[in-house]
Each structure stands twice: as structure tokens, then as C-alpha cells.
Amino acid sequence: MFGHEPQQHHEGRGVTRRAFLTGACATGAVAMVGGLTACATPPQDTGQGDAGGTGSGTNGDAVPGNAAPGKIDKTYDTDLLIVGAGGSGLACAVQAALNGTNFILVDKNNQVGGNASFVEGMFAVNSSLQREQGIEIQPADIVEAELTRGQHRQNGDLWLDLVNKSADNISWCIEQGVTYSGTVDDYYGGLFPTFHWFKDNKAAVGYVEPMKNRLDELGVQLHLKTTVNGLMMKDGKVAGAYASGDEGTLQYNAKAVVFATGGFGGNEEVIAEQGWNTDGMHIVGSPNAAGDGYRLAMDNGARNFMADSAQSILYAIEAFPPIDFHDAAENPINGYFGIAAGGPVLWVNEACQRYSRENLTADNLVLQCIPGKGNKENYVIFDQAIFDQFFGKDDDAKKMFDDALNSNGGGSIYQGDSLETIAGNFNLDADMLKTTVDHYNELCKSGTDSDFGKASDLMVPIETSPFYLAKLSYSYFFSVGGITTDKQRRVLDGDRNPIDGLYAIGNDGNMLYRNVYTINMPGTAFGNQVNSGRESANAVMEYLKQ
């Protein structure tokens, strides 16, 4: 995670924050990626899932897309409509106000901030805070590290833009009243010391509240509990949007619209379009990140970036409780998270074949799910000795595990005295499973994983009854991208030409990653929230001058 996601900082009781991050007893599994507790119905007082803001929705009186509602109760005239008041939306709004742009900021939540409130800090290179502490980093080192981990599929100019503007973004935030603790570090083992901690280690204190105060000082018109559900287009250009709110059905006449709606990480239907099997999936991010901006952009000719977009996603076991990130560091996380995440266990697919080394989290926390994405099913196998050595030392964790095992009816995790028994529970080929486990055990006893190269200290044979087999599902935290944008955050059409007046920021239009969310660089996700918000506001200013 390395500071990219919403998190809280706990070091007092239970599992420590550092233990939480470094994983379960040498499994190599780092803890988890931020978000909120999954829930079935979107609460009205939660924010979006990417720390990038809440925003538009597809519910309400207006028809999504371009269809006008039958009745308009109130009309507003403005130059710019910003949809979403989370991390990126707040930055966009403050910058737009400083630019003198006439705009309205709307949010379907009843307060600003969204999941930005749970972020701990943000990225910068060679900021004033770093220079005061003698930290100097070459921008090329940052860019090359990111591009290498993304197989050089990203546009390096976008990374260079973030890096080169990051120090100014810190200074700009400080000018707006944002407060930092003064600590700059590598966030528990990131690649570089680029993480600038907010005051009290919470953006709710250091970023959201000061930015809200700045909105008030600048006299920004803010409409809360307002859901944008349709765009107005004229001659191929944005002409405004339709929405629903306390005043009924609303029409916003505007020359430009910025989507800061948080992506689609709370919407299983859209996640499935990304190619993931959503059966048993825990939606850990906010359900308000429902893909609203993505859907509206697609309805209006935007180029779909879904096939290349990334995500913050981890393996999970459906029977285990979804992670409540508000109290994540106090949960007995080591008792069950590491089992799904890999390490001293065995992963197999529906054909009972091993397909990857299981300690991929040592390279990149969210890389663990990528190799198995194309499998019909994924399973994890371990035995009692592995559980006792790596996962069952904490009494609370063991109780959580036992409760899940006893209550799930064998649906997602099953215990048996033989490999044949556990294979039968999931209708797997028992002979093939035994063949795979026997071969794996031989590798373990040789001390070398000659198949996939897993660390030798994690090669532990599976031979002590009872045996455990669990079907792997996912914990989905947030999406990264979906709407194709350029460096000015303009939404592009199918021919990669800008759609006049339409912009997407934060996780709606994040183009920094391709398929794999490279999270090893501390704080870049929130750094992008601020940077994209400011860039879009400046781009809109230039557009309006035309």
C-alpha cells in the first residue's frame, strides 16, 4: 500500500500498525489496501472510494446520458460544474476559485472529503520539507522505477508531470492552510522517502478541514446531497448537467464539467466489466464509488480505458469478515489475511495446478491477484502445521478463523483429514490435487522452488492433518482509471480527441498505471488527486478563455 490509500495510524493496542503492514509472521504478505467496510446499500453519509471525492450518480429523477428530465424544478447558470468534493474535487475547486472561475461544486454526500479523510499523507519529490531534512531525489529515478514496474506501458510524460509539479503542490497546499506533521519518510518500506504525513497522520485533520475552510473563505458555492445523473451536450460540446437534490430536479447550465466521482470500485457490475469474477467479492471501498462519472462519460462518447485500467485488489476468503478499515489495525488481521494473500501456502487453479509463486506481495501488494485473473477459480491449500506456525498464534485471530470455518458450511473454506476429502468438497480432481501437493512438498523438502522461485523460508510442506482448502475471492478497494484523459485531464473520445468541456480527475481519469497498480512509491495516489485537481482547474480556465 505504501500510503496510497485511505488508512488510519494505530500503534497502541492489538496488532501494531507496523505488524499490520509487514504481514503475518514472515509470510511476506503486507496487510491491505485502504477503503471502507463493504455494505449492500450505499449509505448517504459516506464518500467515494478513491480518496478522490464523491460525485454523480445514476439514481434520481433525471435519465442518465443525454435525455432531459420531463420537469426541471430549478436551474443554475455557471461556467464550470465540479462533480465531487473529495480529495481531487477539493483541489480543483480551490484552484478554480483562485483562478477566478465562475463555478459550482456539487457532491451527493452530505459533507465534503469522501475517503480523503482517511488518507495519511501525499507524495512529493524535492519539496521544501524534504530539503529541510536533507532529502534529495532525482526525478528520473522515480519515473524509471514506476515505468519499470509497469513494464514501460505507461506514458512517462504523465509521471514526469506529477513528479515535477509535486513539490509545488506541497507548497500550494500549505498556502491554502493544509498542515503536515513535518515527517517525511518511505512509509514503512517504500522505494523512496516521498511520503509527507499530514497533521495527526490524517487528511481529515490536515487536508479536508483546511480545504473546506478555504472554500468558505473563497465563497465557493457548494451544493451537497446533489446527484448528477445526466450531461447536457450541444454541438459536441458540454453544455451542462442534470441532477437531483433537495430542491428537486436540477439543471446546471455550464460550459465545462469536471468528474471527480471516485471511480467504480463500489459497483460490482462495473468491476465485472474489468474482467474480475465478483462471486463472493468483498467491496471494501465505498459503495458510493459507483462508476457514475465513468458511465456518464461513456454515454457521451468517451474512449474506454477499462481494458488497461488498474485496481487496488487483494485475494480474500468469503467466509472471513470483510476488512473494516476504520479499525483495521485493531483487527486480528494476521490470523486470516495472510492465508489468502499467499506466502507459506499453495495456490492452485480449478485444474489443481499451481500457477504462480505465492509471495508476490513481496514485489507488489496488489500483484497477487493478477496471475489468477484468467483462471475460472483459485484456491489456497495449507495444513494444520502451517496454520499454527504462521497464522494461528494470536488467540483472537484463531477464534476468527475457527468461527468462519464452522459457520460457512464448506462454501468457501473447508477442513478435512485428507486431500481427497477437501478436494471433493469443491468438486476438484482429487488425484490431480494430490499430484500437485506431492510435487510441491518435494520442492519444499529440497529447499528450492525450482518451478517459480518462491523464497525458501516460505516453502513449507503440506503434510500434517487436518488439511484446509479455501476458495479465493477478492477484496476490491478502488479502481484506478476507466476514462481516457490527456495530461490536461480532458476526456478523450474514440479518436483520442478532447471532448470539449469535459474533464475527469482523481481515480475517474487516472492514466498513471496500466493493469497493475504499482503501489511501491509512497503517496502517489493522493499526490495525483491534488495534481489532477489543480491541472483540470487550470485547463478549464484556458478553455473558457477561448
Side-chain angles (χ1 to χ4, degrees):
M1 64 174 58
F2 299 132
H4 283 62
E5 293 77 42
Q7 302 159 34
Q8 288 179 300
H9 191 73
H10 300 273
E11 294 288 355
R13 61 188 188 278
V15 178
T16 68
R17 176 67 174 174
R18 186 168 298 276
F20 174 65
L21 286 165
T22 54
C25 307
T27 66
V30 186
M32 58 155 277
V33 191
L36 301 178
T37 311
C39 44
T41 304
Q44 293 304 307
D45 60 349
T46 59
Q48 293 287 49
D50 80 322
T54 59
S56 62
T58 54
N59 58 314
D61 298 326
V63 180
N66 294 336
K71 176 175 175 280
I72 299 295
D73 295 305
K74 189 162 185 177
T75 299
Y76 290 92
D77 295 318
T78 187
D79 287 332
L80 166 65
L81 181 68
I82 302 172
V83 185
S88 59
L90 287 172
C92 181
V94 171
Q95 184 65 64
L98 294 172
N99 291 347
T101 301
N102 176 33
F103 72 95
I104 298 174
L105 173 64
V106 302
D107 195 298
K108 68 180 179 183
N109 195 0
N110 62 6
Q111 59 187 1
V112 304
N115 277 5
S117 297
F118 304 102
V119 173
E120 294 173 295
M122 63 183 280
F123 167 88
V125 174
N126 298 329
S127 69
S128 58
L129 295 176
Q130 286 167 313
R131 293 187 182 281
E132 288 172 3
Q133 298 175 39
I135 299 172
E136 186 171 348
I137 303 170
Q138 294 300 318
D141 293 340
I142 299 285
V143 175
E144 176 62 17
E146 281 292 342
L147 296 183
T148 298
R149 283 157 180 77
Q151 298 182 322
H152 282 265
R153 298 182 64 214
Q154 316 98 304
N155 184 331
D157 186 40
L158 300 178
W159 273 105
L160 189 60
D161 179 74
L162 173 62
V163 171
N164 286 341
K165 292 178 179 176
S166 60
D168 180 66
N169 287 334
I170 295 288
S171 298
W172 180 84
C173 282
I174 292 173
E175 290 172 1
Q176 309 316 315
V178 172
T179 53
Y180 298 88
S181 72
T183 299
V184 180
D185 61 21
D186 64 1
Y187 195 83
Y188 305 107
L191 295 174
F192 293 90
T194 57
F195 197 77
H196 295 61
W197 291 83
F198 289 120
K199 181 181 178 181
D200 294 345
N201 302 326
K202 295 179 181 178
V205 176
Y207 180 85
V208 174
E209 189 61 30
M211 291 292 274
K212 173 59 170 64
N213 293 339
R214 193 69 173 121
L215 293 181
D216 295 339
E217 293 171 0
L218 294 168
V220 170
Q221 188 173 177
L222 173 64
H223 294 178
L224 296 175
K225 295 188 288 185
T226 300
T227 302
V228 170
N229 38 38
L231 280 182
M232 298 165 56
M233 303 293 293
K234 184 177 180 181
D235 299 328
K237 299 181 179 181
V238 167
Y242 302 112
S244 58
D246 289 343
E247 297 176 301
T249 301
L250 310 175
Q251 178 173 317
Y252 290 91
N253 297 322
K255 300 172 184 175
V257 170
V258 173
F259 286 137
T261 70
F264 53 81
N267 188 327
E268 284 191 19
E269 180 181 332
V270 185
I271 291 170
E273 294 178 22
Q274 207 176 27
W276 296 102
N277 181 353
T278 60
D279 293 342
M281 177 177 283
H282 293 316
I283 300 297
V284 184
S286 170
N288 275 350
D292 305 330
Y294 168 76
R295 289 294 198 205
L296 289 173
M298 294 306 111
D299 286 345
N300 288 277
R303 185 178 184 86
N304 198 324
F305 189 68
M306 181 69 75
D308 288 326
S309 65
Q311 58 283 307
S312 179
I313 187 170
L314 304 180
Y315 273 138
I317 297 171
E318 185 180 5
F320 295 152
I323 298 168
D324 180 354
F325 198 81
H326 289 96
D327 199 25
E330 308 306 329
N331 289 343
I333 201 79
N334 289 351
Y336 69 92
F337 174 78
I339 295 172
V345 295
L346 172 63
W347 287 340
V348 298
N349 60 15
E350 70 279 0
C352 297
Q353 297 170 329
R354 188 183 182 210
Y355 58 89
S356 172
R357 62 177 170 86
E358 295 81 4
N359 66 329
L360 292 178
T361 55
D363 300 357
N364 178 341
L365 178 61
V366 301
L367 187 61
Q368 60 185 265
C369 301
I370 304 299
K373 185 179 181 182
N375 294 337
K376 183 178 180 180
E377 303 289 354
N378 295 289
Y379 298 89
V380 59
I381 306 164
F382 55 100
D383 66 7
Q384 190 64 47
I386 291 174
F387 177 82
D388 291 342
Q389 179 180 353
F390 292 96
F391 306 113
K393 292 183 177 181
D394 181 275
D395 289 340
D396 290 337
K398 188 176 186 305
K399 181 179 185 303
M400 182 179 291
F401 177 83
D402 289 340
D403 288 346
L405 184 68
N406 295 329
S407 64
N408 90 113
S412 61
I413 185 168
Y414 188 73
Q415 177 194 74
D417 292 333
S418 68
L419 295 177
E420 181 180 15
T421 300
I422 60 175
N425 181 72
F426 291 99
N427 296 317
L428 297 175
D429 186 321
D431 291 338
M432 180 58 71
L433 181 63
K434 185 176 186 306
T435 297
T436 298
V437 172
D438 286 347
H439 175 65
Y440 180 75
N441 287 345
E442 291 174 3
L443 296 178
C444 291
K445 291 174 183 178
S446 74
T448 301
D449 181 8
S450 58
D451 288 344
F452 293 104
K454 185 164 72 173
S456 59
D457 61 328
L458 300 178
M459 295 293 291
V460 183
I462 301 170
E463 54 189 6
T464 305
S465 177
F467 301 96
Y468 299 92
L469 183 63
K471 182 178 180 180
L472 293 173
S473 56
Y474 303 101
S475 290
Y476 197 105
F477 299 92
F478 57 85
S479 61
V480 186
I483 304 171
T484 305
T485 61
D486 62 11
K487 194 162 67 172
Q488 289 74 44
R489 312 297 163 155
R490 298 178 297 185
V491 174
L492 304 183
D493 65 15
D495 295 322
R496 290 190 171 89
N497 296 316
I499 298 175
D500 288 343
L502 189 59
Y503 303 79
I505 61 177
N507 278 354
D508 280 334
N510 191 329
M511 301 288 289
L512 293 175
Y513 311 96
R514 297 294 187 277
N515 297 112
V516 178
Y517 178 40
T518 52
I519 61 174
N520 309 72
M521 199 71 67
T524 55
F526 198 76
N528 178 66
Q529 310 307 321
V530 174
N531 194 54
S532 64
R534 296 188 66 199
E535 284 183 337
S536 62
N538 292 334
V540 167
M541 178 178 65
E542 295 302 318
Y543 174 73
L544 293 175
K545 288 180 180 178
Q546 299 174 12

